[in-house]
Amino acid sequence: MSDKDSLVRLLDLDPEFIIDIKYATDNNFTKQRVYNFNDCYLNKDTAILLIKAKKIFKKDGYKVKVWDAYRPIRAQKLLFEIVPIDDFVATPPDMRKPIIFEYSHMNGLSVDITLVDSNGNELEMPTEFDDFTEMAGLGCDKIPPQARKNAEYLKSVMESVGFKAYRNEWWHFNDVVTKATPYSDVEFN
């Protein structure tokens, strides 16, 4: 199976997601376009887990907005060059060496999301996307109560279907059910 075959376009499986891939625009912390594609791609099993979560959110009156999903290795390298802080931007792999693959954006096993209400307004969350301050982690005691409640709800639902929240970013979830696959550098047009 090729790298492209292991990834699926989320909207082909379920058209009810709001796709706002931040790195396909200059509306991100780099202030430049990092991806040459603006669709959301995920590992197929990860996409199925996300659809399960979406169904729960939908029953509660919310929609899911996806900010990031599959990320090519070259994009990971660029992001790390800009912010070389491993707690926020993972160190890119040296693919010339043997590697143990983990859940990652680079194999479509990680997703960055938020929730929107029935009018399309994003729910109040602890920070904006890609905030590199302590406020981005749910352990911070300065988070306003409603923002904490919304982020904890998001985390609870995502973890109930097989994702694990990343401690430093309220928006980042890793599929810990699916076996990790090799990282990819394929780009979609």
Side-chain angles (χ1 to χ4, degrees), residues 152-186:
E152 291 286 357
Y153 165 72
L154 175 66
K155 177 184 175 188
S156 172
V157 171
M158 290 296 283
E159 290 188 342
S160 77
V161 300
F163 287 92
K164 181 163 177 41
Y166 177 56
R167 63 181 165 78
N168 291 326
E169 299 173 344
W170 62 263
W171 59 83
H172 181 96
F173 298 92
N174 298 309
D175 170 357
V176 294
V177 175
T178 303
K179 183 177 187 245
T181 57
Y183 303 142
S184 176
D185 206 31
V186 69

Side-chain angles (χ1 to χ4, degrees), residues 139-158:
C140 180
D141 60 1
K142 299 175 191 167
I143 297 171
Q146 188 60 49
R148 178 176 301 284
K149 180 180 176 187
N150 292 339
E152 291 286 357
Y153 165 72
L154 175 66
K155 177 184 175 188
S156 172
V157 171
M158 290 296 283

